[in-house]
């Protein structure tokens, strides 16, 4: 088991290195650089000297291989570098936004779970009835609706509905307030994006809950329980659910890991200053260093989650063996 | 020369004798959601194929006199800020969505099939390297990939297809590889190898047919995802270009600026995306139910 | 639908009138309150001397003072320039080669240091003669300046190499924040990229990157009694829909850059008299730049045909309902005394009143040049307003003279790289956006070889005309030369193809008072005379 974990940890290295190589050179394939955008982005006269100074400042005049060396070398010295746009340390830029993205990810997951578990269970219990079909239709629609569109529709809906009821249109706050300072303000801001994305994320979890429940409901011990004459509700709650939950929890954990980096479009629509927005801005500014580190963060989360899940499975299910 | 009929065995002929209507009805009874999905898919395909027959408007030409008209008899879904008929653009948009969606899904799933089977069959160092590449590609954010593809190759439909296909390949390869690994252990593959058959023959004749189920499942889920991704990329400005009618493009810009006074401009393309992806997902789900042995009912 | 549109139009008109009277009448100024406004961008650094974005102005101009500025009470006038840190009227001597400014003696930096002429000299030396390695974005605007000096603590003297009408507008540019010499001496020239110490009406409180910038009232501000606000918060919101909704849902009171006309209509329809609309011609012009190094665009006939192929007058009426463009104009900002009037414009190719004649001429020219069935490789910027909206119209216009357009929409960085560096286009969208209206300097955009002319054209004759213009002192003579220049650049040679001038629309909550729209989004942003009418909140 330990050998397996160690081996997997070692295998992460080529993956991370490959991702670093890919993001570094892909970003530099793009025409233009942060200095061009900074100096020429407004249609006014762009001073070539100012552009040259900026490029020198950012080390963009150095050979690519040296720049790449600096990027990789930073991981050994623990220095993630500074943003090419704001000159602030990247760790600081990311740290600022991490809280919001984390909180939104948690709330989104809560919404997703709150939808997925009851819907999945009822859908399995009432398999092939109209309830089942209705639930499945609802949850598949969740994957089908583009979340950016749903977000815009939610804001519009809120404005129109509140205008009709209160006489004055209300929309969620567009500035983040910490939940410890103003819990209600924080909630009214984040619940809408959480619903817009949570609905989408609930779809897969609902399906997983349903199929896991179906499988468990066919097991012998459930039949036995039924034969014993136990109340159906009890069977579902006590026996079936407990056993069906494992894969569902795993799935939710994986999705959660992705959420932190996966709220790109939602954060745009609701003007939330999280990692997704930072990423889009960084791409727009061609802030190479910041994009690199954000991509590496996403890749790291992906690889680490995969590892944890695999190890967890091995540990939980002795039938799975790893060489 | 044998006639084609001679090849068909009689049991299949028996099945064919059951009227098509009855067969369809059975399918609908067994998979009502899948049938609904298939219905949406068929409608969409028809719209895409016969776009120029269904509507007499030009999806691109401006008609400044009739800008931003609300839905009415002449324009069922209203017009946009350039006076273009939205229904027409939604119908032509189906063409864009389907051609990109189907091509990307097919290329992605097939690429994954080849890579997955090869990886499982050859194993060893080849498998190890392939799997690391698959790791990188799966973890890599799509938006960066798309941006780079569009920046180097230029925007346009075929490059959107490339951008969407790249993340599909590793996803499918992973799934196919795990199924193929199981088959590789079955004695007949060893037997075939012992008989000296070529790698290509063994892969094509023995391994590929046995991973068709996961392949088809992936293929059917990819179409819906591809349509959605195309919409997102177009919305982010990295997809197909104006004035090509594409749903994602129709949702950006003006559609957002005058959301309140002309909601039809953004509601209908949004619904079109949702319905299309919905249809393909229902269809894909049904496919999974039919093909996935674990899901097969008692 | 017709009825719906006309209803919007009616309400707009009403509120326009309402807006103007609301500002014009001498209401008693109310003090206090926090102004929330949205801003679409975020500047890479606080040091406006080195930045070009207006995002370095909107949230930061309130922290600083400048030597002279466009009159905040009359920002529409391009010539009404008044003192901010100086007092009285500056003296011009030596045949326009010496400018002497008397500096106020009651100004303090936010850290308590009193301001003297030395601070202003240090500031302009940083802008005009930066030490090596210190970027200064508008250094070239001060080509005429020989030296800046302070004969005593309250006098600043600019010596010029040659007299120039472009000098005062360059000094009055809103970017020229006055820094403290002490800060520059002790902390160096990069300190101001992430620190703020000004003499402006507001004191910097905090900047949360990606979220907002906050300022509070400066009680020691040198314009007595001002500012009226207790503070302001500049909320960063990059998406247009978010900014519009922010005004709609009263999360912000105003956006200073400009909204598209449909957003104005939406806001007016939803909010009625709770919203006031201010509108103005905008000192930005949208241009289609042909690439003279590519065939057949090296042929003036082809370029003229592209200009003749567009219905500017009709386009104006229509596009002004969906895009932030409106006014048909030549090389000079419309309404300026130096600008062409309608009769003069209508003599230029592409501005003729007879559209059919124009299109017939365009087809004829294309045929003569052997370029019927022309396909244009068109470089566009992935920003809707106004680039993509106007381009969609333009492409459709060109189909009417048989020209097909293959458009490539590029994200901003790639767009600029294509426009400025690789030149991989036949025609590119392009624009000329300036802060203070200064036609003599602004029209240099059309000069072949100018730093911001991307057409790769060559035309010594046009250059001679421009030199001539620079040497001409009287307005009448300047006007005559500019007409020749315009005819050559836009008609005979069609080096550049002007589409329409931008139009600035600022719908804001009616309780925002005292702010007046300027012809540029860079101007009048110190917020010292803005106040909130609590009765309307």
């Amino acid at each position: 088991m330990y050998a397996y974990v160690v081996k997997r940890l070692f295998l992460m290295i080529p993956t991370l290195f490959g991702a670093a190589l890919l993001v570094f050179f892909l970003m530099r394939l793009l025409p233009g650089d942060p200095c061009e955008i900074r100096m020429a982005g407004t249609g006014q006269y762009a001073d070539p000297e100012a552009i040259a100074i900026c490029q020198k400042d950012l080390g963009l005049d150095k050979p690519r291989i040296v720049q790449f060396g600096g990027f990789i070398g930073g991981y050994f010295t623990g220095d993630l570098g500074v943003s090419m746009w704001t000159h602030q340390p990247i760790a600081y830029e990311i740290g600022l936004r991490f809280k919001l993205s984390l909180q939104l990810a948690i709330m989104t997951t809560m919404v997703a779970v709150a939808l997925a578990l009851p819907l999945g269970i009822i859908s399995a219990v009432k398999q092939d009835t109209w309830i089942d079909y209705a639930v499945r239709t609802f949850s598949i629609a969740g994957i089908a609706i583009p979340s950016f569109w749903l977000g815009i529709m939610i804001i519009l809906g809120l404005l129109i509905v509140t205008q009709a009821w209160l006489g004055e249109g209300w929309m969620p706050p567009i500035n983040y307030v910490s939940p410890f300072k103003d819990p209600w303000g924080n909630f009214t801001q984040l619940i809408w994006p959480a619903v817009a994305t949570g609905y989408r994320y609930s779809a897969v979890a609902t399906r997983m809950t349903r199929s896991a429940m179906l499988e468990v409901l066919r097991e012998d011990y459930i039949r036995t329980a039924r034969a014993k004459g136990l109340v159906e509700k009890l069977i579902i709650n006590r026996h079936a659910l407990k056993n069906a939950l494992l894969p569902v929890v795993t799935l939710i954990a994986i999705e959660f890991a992705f959420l932190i980096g996966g709220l790109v479009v939602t954060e745009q629509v609701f003007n939330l200053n999280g990692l997704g927005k930072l990423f889009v801005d960084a791409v727009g500014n061609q802030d190479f260093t910041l994009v690199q580190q954000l991509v590496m963060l996403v890749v790291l989360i992906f690889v680490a989650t995969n590892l944890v899940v695999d190890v967890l499975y091995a540990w939980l299910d002795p039938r799975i063996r790893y060489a | 020369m044998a006639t084609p009929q001679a090849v068909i065995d009689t049991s299949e002929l028996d099945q064919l004798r059951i009227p098509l209507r009855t067969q369809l009805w059975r399918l609908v009874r067994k998979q009502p959601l899948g049938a609904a999905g298939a219905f949406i898919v068929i409608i969409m395909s028809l719209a895409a194929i016969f776009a120029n027959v269904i509507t007499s408007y030009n999806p691109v030409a401006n008609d400044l006199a009739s800008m931003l008209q609300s839905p009415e008899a002449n324009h069922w879904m209203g017009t946009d800020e350039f006076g273009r008929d939205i229904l027409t653009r939604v119908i032509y948009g189906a063409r864009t969505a389907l051609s990109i969606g189907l091509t990307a899904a097919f290329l992605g799933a097939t690429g994954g099939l080849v890579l997955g089977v090869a990886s499982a069959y050859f194993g060893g160092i080849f498998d190890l390297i392939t799997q690391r590449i698959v790791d990188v590609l799966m973890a890599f954010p799509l938006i960066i990939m798309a941006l780079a593809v569009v920046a180097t190759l230029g925007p346009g439909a075929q490059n959107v297809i490339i951008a969407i296909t790249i993340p599909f390949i590793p996803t499918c390869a992973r799934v196919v590889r795990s199924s193929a690994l199981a088959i590789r252990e079955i004695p007949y593959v060893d037997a075939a190898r012992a008989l000296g058959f070529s790698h290509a023959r063994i892969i094509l004749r023995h391994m590929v047919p046995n991973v068709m189920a996961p392949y088809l499942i992936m293929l059917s889920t990819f179409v819906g995802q591809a349509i959605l991704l195309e919409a997102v990329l177009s919305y982010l400005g990295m997809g197909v270009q104006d004035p090509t009618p594409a749903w994602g493009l129709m949702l950006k810009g003006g559609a957002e600026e005058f959301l309140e006074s002309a909601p039809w401009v953004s509601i209908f393309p949004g619904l079109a995306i949702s319905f299309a992806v919905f249809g393909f997902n229902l269809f894909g789900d049904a496919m999974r139910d039919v093909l996935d042995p674990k899901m097969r009912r008692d | 639908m017709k009825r719906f549109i006309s209803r919007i139009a009616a309400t707009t008109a009403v509120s326009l009138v309402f807006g103007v009277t609301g500002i014009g009448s001498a209401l008693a100024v109310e003090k206090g309150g926090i102004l929330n406004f949205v801003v679409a961008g975020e500047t890479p650094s606080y040091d406006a001397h080195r930045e070009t974005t207006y995002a370095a102005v909107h949230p930061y101009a309130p922290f600083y003072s400048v030597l002279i500025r466009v009159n905040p009470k009359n920002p529409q006038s391009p010539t009404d320039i008044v003192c901010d840190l100086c007092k009285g009227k500056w003296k011009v001597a030596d045949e326009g080669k010496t400018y002497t400014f008397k500096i106020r003696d009651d100004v303090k930096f936010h850290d308590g240091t009193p301001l003297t002429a030395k601070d202003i000299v240090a500031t302009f030396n940083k802008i005009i003669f930066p030490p090596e390695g210190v970027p200064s974005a508008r250094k070239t605007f001060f080509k005429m300046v020989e030296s800046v000096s302070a004969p005593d603590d309250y006098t600043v003297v600019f010596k010029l190499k040659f007299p120039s009408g472009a000098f005062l507008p360059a000094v009055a540019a809103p970017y020229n924040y006055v820094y403290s010499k002490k800060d520059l001496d002790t902390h160096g020239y990069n300190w101001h990229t992430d620190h703020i110490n000004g003499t402006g009406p507001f004191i910097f409180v905090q900047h949360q990157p990606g979220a907002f910038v906050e300022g509070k009232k400066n009680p020691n501000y040198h314009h007595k009694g001002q500012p009226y606000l207790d503070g302001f918060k500049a909320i960063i919101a990059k998406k247009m829909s978010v900014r519009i909704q922010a005004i709609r849902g009263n999360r912000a009171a105003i956006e200073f850059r400009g909204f598209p006309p449909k957003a104005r209509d939406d806001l007016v329809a939803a909010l009625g008299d709770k919203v006031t609309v201010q509108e103005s011609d905008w000192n930005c012009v949208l241009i289609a730049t042909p690439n003279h190094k590519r065939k057949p665009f090296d042929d003036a006939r082809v370029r003229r045909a592209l200009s003749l192929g567009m219905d500017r007058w009709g386009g104006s009426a229509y596009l002004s309902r969906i895009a932030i463009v409106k006014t048909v104009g030549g090389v000079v900002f419309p309404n300026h005394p130096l600008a062409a009037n309608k009769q003069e414009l209508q003599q230029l190719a592409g501005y003729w009143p007879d559209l059919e004649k124009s299109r017939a001429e365009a087809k004829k020219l294309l045929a003569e040049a052997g370029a019927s069935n022309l396909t244009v490789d068109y470089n566009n910027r992935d920003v809707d307003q106004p680039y993509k909206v106007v381009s969609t119209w333009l492409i459709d216009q060109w189909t009417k003279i048989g020209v097909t357009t293959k458009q490539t929409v590029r994200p901003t960085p790639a767009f600029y790289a294509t426009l400025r560096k690789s030149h991989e286009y036949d025609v590119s969208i392009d624009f000329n956006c300036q802060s203070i209206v200064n036609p003599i300097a602004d029209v240099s955009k059309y000069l072949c070889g100018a730093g911001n002319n991307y057409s790769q054209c060559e035309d010594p004759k046009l250059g001679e005309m421009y030199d001539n213009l620079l040497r001409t002192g009287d307005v009448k003579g300047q006007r005559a030369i500019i007409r020749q220049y315009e005819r050559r650049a836009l008609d005979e040679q069609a080096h550049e193809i002007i589409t329409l001038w931008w139009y600035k629309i600022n719908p804001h909550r009616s309780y925002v008072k005292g702010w007046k729209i300027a012809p540029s989004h860079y101007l009048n942003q110190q917020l010292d005379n803005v106040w909130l009418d609590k009765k309307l909140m």
Side-chain angles (χ1 to χ4, degrees):
Chain A
M1 185 73 196
Y2 286 112
Y4 171 72
V5 173
V6 170
K7 186 184 155 204
R8 281 291 301 263
L9 280 173
F10 268 106
L11 282 178
M12 276 168 74
I13 295 170
T15 306
L16 290 171
F17 184 77
L21 206 66
L22 197 60
V23 64
F24 182 88
F25 286 100
L26 281 184
M27 281 311 287
R28 276 155 179 83
L29 278 178
L30 307 179
D33 68 36
C35 297
E36 292 270 335
I37 298 169
R38 195 162 165 183
M39 294 302 161
T42 53
Q44 296 190 339
Y45 171 69
D47 189 49
E49 203 181 316
I51 294 180
I53 292 174
C54 167
Q55 283 168 338
K56 191 155 174 268
D57 255 15
L58 298 178
L60 288 168
D61 54 341
K62 288 187 201 138
R64 296 258 163 94
I65 189 75
V66 175
Q67 296 182 40
F68 183 69
F71 166 39
I72 298 298
Y75 290 113
F76 295 96
T77 56
D79 177 17
L80 298 184
V82 295
S83 152
M84 287 191 167
W85 189 248
T86 63
H87 282 264
Q88 300 296 321
I90 286 171
Y92 166 78
E93 294 279 357
I94 292 180
L96 264 180
R97 276 99 172 169
F98 190 76
K99 261 190 306 189
L100 186 146
S101 287
L102 182 67
Q103 196 202 340
L104 186 55
I106 292 172
M107 285 178 73
T108 302
T109 308
M110 279 159 63
V111 170
V113 171
L115 281 172
L117 285 188
L119 288 180
I121 293 166
I122 194 152
S123 173
V125 174
K126 307 274 181 196
Q127 191 191 4
D128 290 335
T129 65
W130 67 269
I131 296 179
D132 180 28
Y133 296 139
V135 167
R136 285 166 68 191
T137 308
F138 173 80
S139 83
I140 291 175
I143 318 183
I145 299 173
S147 52
F148 61 87
W149 186 71
L150 184 62
I152 293 170
M153 289 294 146
I154 286 179
I155 297 182
L156 179 69
L158 282 174
L159 279 168
I160 291 174
V161 168
T162 49
Q163 171 115 19
W165 282 357
L166 312 168
E168 173 84 17
W170 181 90
M171 70 178 284
I174 51 177
N175 256 327
Y176 181 67
V177 276
S178 155
F180 304 107
K181 246 187 184 162
D182 177 6
W184 178 245
N186 175 279
F187 180 77
T188 55
Q189 178 182 31
L190 292 187
I191 187 64
W192 309 103
V195 166
T197 4
Y199 176 32
R200 177 175 184 75
Y201 274 79
S202 76
V204 186
T206 307
R207 180 151 72 193
M208 183 64 110
T209 313
R210 178 176 178 270
S211 56
M213 276 301 280
L214 281 178
E215 220 160 295
V216 173
L217 285 175
R218 272 183 228 119
E219 298 279 344
D220 291 342
Y221 61 87
I222 300 290
R223 290 188 187 168
T224 318
R226 281 204 179 114
K228 279 199 306 197
L230 281 183
V231 188
E232 189 73 15
K233 214 169 163 182
L234 197 71
I235 299 174
I236 307 267
N237 284 341
R238 274 276 173 76
H239 301 274
L241 189 56
K242 209 170 71 189
N243 289 293
L245 228 45
L246 179 68
V248 178
V249 170
T250 323
L251 180 85
I252 289 167
I254 298 178
E255 288 199 342
F256 177 76
F258 284 119
L259 260 175
I260 295 178
L263 294 161
V264 173
V265 195
T266 312
E267 289 185 355
Q268 295 278 303
V269 172
F270 289 90
N271 202 45
L272 298 173
N273 188 29
L275 292 178
K277 190 158 161 278
L278 181 67
F279 183 68
V280 171
D281 291 350
V283 169
N285 295 333
Q286 298 215 334
D287 187 343
F288 298 146
T289 42
L290 185 53
V291 171
Q292 280 159 204
Q293 299 298 356
L294 283 170
V295 168
M296 292 310 287
L297 180 71
V298 171
V299 173
L300 183 69
I301 290 176
F302 179 90
V303 183
T305 313
N306 266 349
L307 173 61
V308 171
V309 167
D310 285 355
V311 171
L312 214 62
Y313 263 111
W315 182 60
L316 288 173
D317 190 343
R319 280 173 304 179
I320 303 173
R321 290 210 190 286
Y322 296 95
Chain B
M1 201 179 101
T3 52
Q5 281 88 347
V7 185
I8 299 171
D9 88 32
T10 44
S11 64
E12 281 184 38
L13 274 176
D14 284 345
Q15 274 220 319
L16 282 180
R17 274 192 209 106
I18 301 169
L20 187 68
R21 217 170 36 175
T22 319
Q23 277 199 17
L24 271 179
W25 182 236
R26 275 187 195 165
L27 182 73
V28 172
R29 285 275 296 276
K30 237 168 118 187
Q31 292 283 349
L33 291 182
F39 180 72
I40 294 174
V41 170
I42 289 166
I43 294 284
M44 190 179 152
S45 315
L46 290 177
I49 295 165
F50 299 108
N52 38 356
V53 183
I54 300 169
T55 163
S56 57
Y57 290 103
N58 181 328
V60 179
N62 297 4
D63 174 12
L64 311 188
S66 50
M67 77 182 241
L68 287 177
Q69 291 191 350
S70 52
E72 46 148 16
N74 288 332
H75 302 286
W76 290 1
M77 294 183 181
T79 61
D80 68 7
E81 70 269 38
F82 297 99
R84 301 176 295 199
D85 182 54
I86 298 211
L87 177 61
T88 302
R89 286 178 67 75
V90 165
I91 291 171
Y92 277 90
R95 198 177 262 188
T96 313
L98 262 190
S99 57
I100 291 181
L102 288 176
T103 320
F106 177 74
L107 291 178
T110 310
L113 177 76
V114 172
L115 203 63
V117 169
S119 193
Y121 179 79
F122 293 110
I125 189 81
F126 178 80
D127 183 37
L128 193 72
I129 292 171
T130 319
Q131 286 315 302
R132 296 291 75 74
I133 295 172
V134 163
D135 276 346
V136 173
L137 290 181
M138 277 181 87
F140 209 79
L142 172 73
I143 179 172
I144 294 283
M145 194 68 85
L147 193 72
V149 168
V150 170
T152 41
L153 304 177
Q158 73 271 35
N159 299 331
V160 177
I161 292 173
I162 295 175
I164 297 175
T165 305
I166 290 173
F168 281 171
I169 294 176
T171 315
C172 183
R174 222 355 91 85
V175 174
V176 167
R177 175 178 170 270
S178 61
S179 305
L181 273 180
I183 293 154
R184 196 177 175 276
E185 302 309 316
I186 295 172
Y188 74 82
V189 173
D190 281 338
R193 208 178 285 171
L195 283 172
F197 288 142
S198 71
H199 290 321
R201 189 191 153 114
I202 298 170
I203 289 177
L204 286 177
R205 293 290 289 274
H206 300 292
M207 295 192 59
V208 170
N210 280 296
V211 294
M212 274 330 264
Y215 169 75
L216 288 174
I217 291 170
M218 293 312 275
L219 183 65
S220 66
T221 33
F222 281 170
V223 184
Q225 285 183 23
I227 291 175
L228 198 60
L229 281 176
E230 184 268 314
V232 171
L233 288 180
S234 297
Y235 177 75
L236 292 174
M238 295 171 214
V240 288
Q241 299 288 318
D242 256 331
T244 312
W247 296 337
L249 269 181
M250 292 171 75
L251 282 177
K252 71 182 291 203
E256 285 179 13
E257 281 163 22
F258 31 84
L259 200 53
E260 208 168 338
S261 63
W264 57 89
V265 179
S266 42
I267 285 180
F268 292 113
L271 285 178
I273 298 173
S274 306
F275 267 106
V277 181
F278 184 65
F280 275 104
N281 280 342
L282 284 180
F283 186 69
D285 255 22
M287 193 100 141
R288 183 189 303 253
D289 280 5
V290 173
L291 291 175
D292 194 344
K294 270 188 281 179
M295 296 296 294
R296 227 165 251 168
R297 306 211 177 100
D298 303 341
Chain C
M1 184 57 208
K2 283 250 166 60
R3 214 179 51 203
F4 184 61
I5 289 220
S6 64
R7 200 189 74 202
I8 291 182
T11 7
T12 315
V14 166
S15 82
L16 262 173
V17 173
F18 178 83
V20 171
T21 52
I23 294 157
S25 59
L27 287 168
V29 167
E30 267 183 74
K31 294 200 173 190
I34 305 285
L35 176 73
N36 291 312
F37 65 90
V38 265
V39 50
E42 190 169 27
T43 175
S45 87
Y46 304 160
D47 182 8
H49 299 173
R50 66 176 76 196
E51 303 300 342
T52 61
T53 167
Y54 71 95
V57 173
H58 288 192
Y60 300 100
F63 303 130
Y64 289 103
S65 303
V66 288
L67 180 60
I68 51 174
R69 58 177 175 174
V70 162
N71 188 351
K73 296 194 186 79
N74 184 25
Q76 277 293 323
S77 162
T79 48
D80 189 357
I81 292 174
V82 297
C83 269
D84 185 1
L85 286 176
C86 56
K87 55 185 181 185
K89 188 77 189 165
W90 48 91
K91 290 195 185 67
V92 187
D94 198 10
E95 287 165 341
K97 290 207 287 188
T98 305
Y99 282 74
T100 308
F101 296 87
K102 284 283 165 204
I103 306 303
R104 298 178 73 116
D105 56 6
D106 57 349
V107 185
K108 273 200 173 89
F109 280 95
H110 297 158
D111 69 351
T113 323
L115 172 131
T116 69
K118 291 199 179 65
D119 298 308
I120 293 170
V121 171
T123 297
F124 278 97
N125 276 329
K126 174 175 183 287
I127 294 170
I128 306 171
F129 314 108
E132 204 186 321
V134 176
S136 172
R138 283 159 298 275
K139 198 166 72 172
T140 48
F141 289 20
F142 294 92
K143 277 193 299 246
M144 73 296 276
V145 177
E146 191 174 88
S147 69
V148 196
S149 59
D152 63 61
D153 268 1
Y154 297 102
T155 311
V156 170
V157 178
F158 285 84
K159 289 238 183 264
L160 308 193
K161 295 174 202 154
F162 50 88
S164 168
F167 171 69
L168 271 184
V171 176
Y175 298 98
N176 302 329
Y177 302 161
V178 172
Y179 297 155
S180 152
K181 182 170 189 298
K182 194 184 85 185
D183 290 337
L184 290 171
D185 288 346
T186 46
H187 305 297
Y189 282 79
N190 290 326
W191 186 76
H192 290 89
T193 57
D194 52 1
H195 292 84
I196 292 171
N197 179 29
T199 55
F202 293 90
I203 298 172
F204 177 73
V205 175
Q206 61 167 329
H207 167 217
Q208 280 207 6
F212 62 86
V213 178
E214 202 178 342
K216 64 170 190 219
K217 179 179 184 158
N218 174 8
N220 301 317
Y221 187 50
H222 55 273
H223 293 298
K224 296 298 167 229
Q226 290 180 334
Y228 305 125
L229 297 168
D230 285 338
F232 73 87
K233 196 170 188 183
I235 301 162
I236 295 149
K238 297 211 169 166
K239 262 184 92 71
M240 173 74 85
S241 62
V242 173
R243 298 198 296 281
I244 297 169
Q245 285 155 356
I247 309 274
R248 171 79 167 81
N250 205 11
R251 295 286 171 195
I254 188 165
E255 196 257 14
F256 291 113
R257 190 169 182 273
F259 278 165
K262 279 313 255 175
R264 165 199 63 199
D265 299 345
D266 266 20
L267 286 170
V268 170
L271 298 173
D273 62 3
K274 289 199 184 85
V275 71
T276 300
V277 183
Q278 296 193 50
E279 300 185 359
S280 162
D281 273 314
W282 199 336
N283 191 19
C284 289
V285 58
L286 194 67
I287 301 166
T289 293
N291 184 349
H292 291 233
K293 290 265 157 77
R294 271 211 188 173
K295 285 195 183 313
F297 303 92
D298 53 343
D299 187 334
R301 288 174 297 187
V302 175
R303 303 193 299 263
R304 285 190 85 206
L306 291 181
S307 183
L308 282 160
M310 91 177 76
D311 174 15
R312 290 183 174 80
W313 303 101
S316 162
Y318 156 71
L319 283 170
S320 63
R321 289 156 69 193
I322 56 167
I324 55 171
V325 294
K326 184 172 187 180
T327 309
V328 181
V331 294
V332 179
F333 179 66
N335 303 330
H336 191 278
L338 291 176
N341 60 33
K342 194 167 177 179
Q343 284 78 29
E344 286 164 332
L345 277 178
Q346 287 190 334
Q347 285 161 24
L348 297 173
Y351 294 78
W352 299 343
D354 186 348
L355 179 62
E356 292 319 309
K357 190 180 140 203
S358 292
R359 286 191 176 145
E361 176 73 14
K363 283 186 201 154
K364 201 184 104 211
L365 285 171
L366 285 174
E368 279 173 23
S372 309
N373 304 323
L374 180 66
T375 302
V376 175
D377 174 7
Y378 188 83
N379 178 38
N380 201 356
R381 180 181 182 182
D382 189 25
V383 173
D384 285 296
Q385 288 291 0
Y387 314 94
K388 285 180 64 184
V389 182
V390 174
S391 295
T392 306
W393 168 81
L394 186 58
I395 290 167
D396 186 63
Q397 290 286 305
W398 284 342
T399 60
K400 292 177 182 155
I401 53 165
V403 172
T404 319
T405 308
K406 203 183 122 272
Q407 173 177 227
T408 309
V409 183
R410 297 185 167 92
T412 299
F415 164 76
Y416 277 112
T418 309
L419 177 66
R420 301 178 57 242
K421 291 242 173 97
S422 74
H423 300 290
E424 278 166 14
Y425 60 87
D426 294 337
V427 177
S428 172
I429 202 86
D430 187 2
F431 59 112
N432 189 26
C433 246
Q434 302 297 340
S435 57
I436 293 186
V437 179
N438 180 10
I440 309 238
D442 295 353
V443 299
S444 67
K445 165 84 177 172
Y446 306 94
L447 210 54
C448 297
N452 57 346
N453 185 307
Y454 308 119
S455 69
Q456 306 196 82
C457 61
E458 281 164 29
D459 189 350
K461 201 173 159 203
L462 194 70
E464 279 168 30
M465 288 178 179
Y466 189 71
D467 289 342
N468 207 355
L469 175 67
L470 286 179
R471 283 195 301 271
T472 307
D474 68 307
V475 173
K476 214 176 150 197
Q478 288 174 340
R479 199 169 188 285
I481 297 171
I482 286 189
R483 289 292 79 73
Q484 288 175 19
Y485 180 85
E486 188 167 62
R487 171 163 288 279
R488 177 145 186 103
L490 301 184
D491 182 341
E492 290 160 11
Q493 291 297 319
H495 289 312
E496 302 264 358
I497 302 164
I498 286 183
T499 63
L500 292 168
W501 283 77
W502 292 25
Y503 193 69
K504 193 168 184 288
I505 301 171
N506 289 106
H508 58 82
R509 287 276 167 173
S510 296
Y511 58 74
V512 177
K513 301 283 186 190
W515 181 78
K516 284 189 186 174
I517 191 168
S520 158
H521 56 301
Y522 295 99
L523 299 177
N524 195 18
Q525 286 304 139
Q526 283 175 307
L527 307 181
D528 50 339
N529 52 353
V530 175
W531 56 281
L532 304 177
D533 190 339
K534 310 245 168 25
K535 292 187 296 295
L536 301 176
M537 284 179 91

